[in-house]
Amino acid sequence: MFSARGIGADQLPEASAAPLPLDEAADAERANGVEQNVGAVSQGVVEYTNGVLFKDLWLRPGLAPRDRSLITVTSLISSGQVGQITYHFNRAMNAGLMKDQASEMLAHLTFYTGWPNVFSAVPVVKDVFEKRPS
């Protein structure tokens, strides 16, 4: 069809952009944690988490890692999933989210997701702040 329409391979867009670089050591630690916490219950969840989620979605170049983490943290806070905030909040800070930006994020979220969700997240965020090196 392409040749019939005079479209050469040089005119086609790239099939997919190159993925973001993977921090092998950090990913191995994360994958090990998933295996330890979930493996005995569901290897399918382990495979999807380690493959589709963290090797495909998280490495897509359309968003910077900090932005993906920020979206994830705000989604977790908005849905009241405080159990997952620590990991993803640390990941966001490792990717460049600053403490003052995180504080502003909480203030902003208060109006969009509600005081109860933000107040439930504050102790988790405070704990992350206190445990991170200054």
Side-chain angles (χ1 to χ4, degrees):
M1 176 187 287
F2 290 115
S3 60
R5 294 185 179 175
I7 300 171
D10 62 324
Q11 294 173 290
L12 299 175
E14 269 188 51
S16 62
L20 296 172
L22 177 66
D23 179 337
E24 297 284 344
D27 190 64
E29 184 178 334
R30 182 209 49 74
N32 185 51
V34 171
E35 180 63 44
Q36 295 301 312
N37 293 321
V38 182
V41 177
S42 176
Q43 278 299 307
V45 172
V46 171
E47 290 171 19
Y48 287 131
T49 300
N50 291 336
V52 176
L53 181 60
F54 282 101
K55 294 277 173 48
D56 294 339
L57 181 67
W58 276 85
L59 298 179
R60 290 170 54 96
L63 287 172
R66 175 194 170 276
D67 297 339
R68 282 196 195 278
S69 290
L70 189 58
I71 291 165
T72 302
V73 170
T74 59
S75 297
L76 292 169
I77 292 171
S78 297
S79 60
Q81 299 297 316
V82 295
Q84 296 291 312
I85 293 172
T86 299
Y87 172 79
H88 286 286
F89 192 70
N90 271 301
R91 190 175 174 111
M93 294 194 79
N94 290 343
L97 183 68
M98 304 303 292
K99 187 176 178 180
D100 60 333
Q101 294 170 327
S103 296
E104 186 62 26
M105 172 197 67
L106 291 171
H108 192 83
L109 279 174
T110 301
F111 289 88
Y112 284 92
T113 194
W115 265 261
N117 284 342
V118 172
F119 269 70
S120 294
V122 164
V124 177
V125 171
K126 181 181 178 195
D127 187 56
V128 170
F129 284 166
E130 290 172 352
K131 289 182 177 172
R132 289 185 66 85
S134 297

